[in-house]
Amino acid sequence: EVQLVESGGGLVQPGGSLKLSCAASGFTFSGSAMHWVRQASGKGLEWVGRIRSKANSYATAYAASVKGRFTISRDDSKNTAYLQMNSLKTEDTAVYYCTRLYITMDAFDIWGQGTMVTVSS
Amino acid sequence: SYVLTQPPSVSVAPGQTARITCGGNNIGSKSVHWYQQKPGQAPVLVVYDDSDRPSGIPERFSGSNSGNTATLTISRVEAGDEADYYCQVWDSSSDHPFVVFGGGTKLTVL
């Protein structure tokens, strides 16, 4: 079964750190670019960033709102992508989704169920 | 940065046709993708590259894109189509292409 499963969400204080994981199965993870998208409660989708495949040098890119604070990485041997979040702010509170970019479509065809991150004192 | 504008809400009676627009500067020159998101669920891709459907998506879902407006059309609307719909493009104006989502449109089936 093709799926993505996020984990690692929770409650963290402002200024704190959290690392999310995204475990993939059912497709060739190593060849896929992986993205993170977040959604605050009652709000729309916001792109967070992405990491490309080894063939594309594991290149990363980030939204301006998280650049310098968030880091995306991956471990192809574990079929897992990660989102390291540092210096968290209350406005980072959201459900975080990982998603696969299907290169043929240039669109996101597989999404995880999401993991909730709450930044609050 | 590139901005996509969607109407906050669209309402339609069952069996009728719903049209959800996505406005952007010369959006007709970009490929537009559409996602459906039901409450408490992850988004699902329903249309890609303006008008193509992924496997498993009903033919009732179609798309078009020209000028400054892209449109998702849902024919013979069913109660199960009630959801939020988001358009998405790639903004290639910087060194690295960025993902841009529209603000979303809530489709209500009357």
Side-chain angles (χ1 to χ4, degrees):
Chain A
E1 180 186 6
V2 173
Q3 65 176 354
L4 295 170
V5 178
E6 300 96 337
S7 60
L11 174 63
V12 61
Q13 292 186 340
S17 298
L18 205 60
K19 187 173 185 177
L20 307 183
S21 299
C22 170
S25 59
F27 65 94
T28 306
F29 176 80
S30 61
S32 300
M34 299 301 298
H35 293 240
W36 289 89
V37 174
R38 69 185 181 182
Q39 185 173 37
S41 180
K43 303 297 184 182
L45 302 173
E46 179 188 13
W47 180 73
V48 173
R50 57 90 168 141
I51 184 165
R52 289 177 169 164
S53 65
K54 180 179 180 180
N56 291 286
S57 306
Y58 297 126
T60 56
Y62 302 91
S65 58
V66 306
K67 193 172 185 178
R69 301 188 298 122
F70 289 11
T71 301
I72 299 174
S73 61
R74 63 191 295 161
D75 184 339
D76 290 344
S77 68
K78 295 182 179 180
N79 285 347
T80 301
Y82 304 96
L83 177 63
Q84 175 69 48
M85 303 182 293
N86 298 330
S87 303
L88 282 162
K89 306 175 181 180
T90 55
E91 52 263 42
D92 294 319
T93 295
V95 174
Y96 285 74
Y97 296 100
C98 66
T99 180
R100 178 185 83 157
L101 177 68
Y102 190 43
I103 198 67
T104 303
M105 300 174 179
D106 209 20
F108 303 117
D109 68 328
I110 305 170
W111 293 71
Q113 84 288 353
T115 188
M116 182 69 204
V117 172
T118 302
V119 184
S120 174
S121 55
Chain B
S1 61
Y2 195 78
V3 176
L4 294 174
T5 301
Q6 296 183 238
S9 63
V10 167
S11 299
V12 64
Q16 299 304 303
T17 297
R19 294 180 178 84
I20 298 172
T21 59
C22 176
N25 184 33
N26 197 25
I27 195 174
S29 66
K30 299 179 179 294
S31 287
V32 180
H33 314 301
W34 291 91
Y35 302 87
Q36 175 194 69
Q37 185 181 34
K38 296 181 179 180
Q41 298 184 21
V44 172
L45 179 67
V46 292
V47 167
Y48 67 97
D49 285 350
D50 298 338
S51 58
D52 292 330
R53 282 184 313 278
S55 174
I57 300 301
E59 292 183 4
R60 301 185 298 104
F61 289 82
S62 62
S64 63
N65 184 18
S66 179
N68 293 318
T69 305
T71 303
L72 173 69
T73 300
I74 309 172
S75 304
R76 302 180 299 283
V77 166
E78 304 173 356
D81 297 331
E82 189 162 284
D84 294 325
Y85 291 84
Y86 296 90
C87 57
Q88 178 249 311
V89 300
W90 290 87
D91 178 4
S92 303
S93 59
S94 63
D95 291 342
H96 303 284
F98 286 90
V99 174
V100 179
F101 288 101
T105 297
K106 180 176 181 57
L107 176 66
T108 298
V109 181
L110 301 171

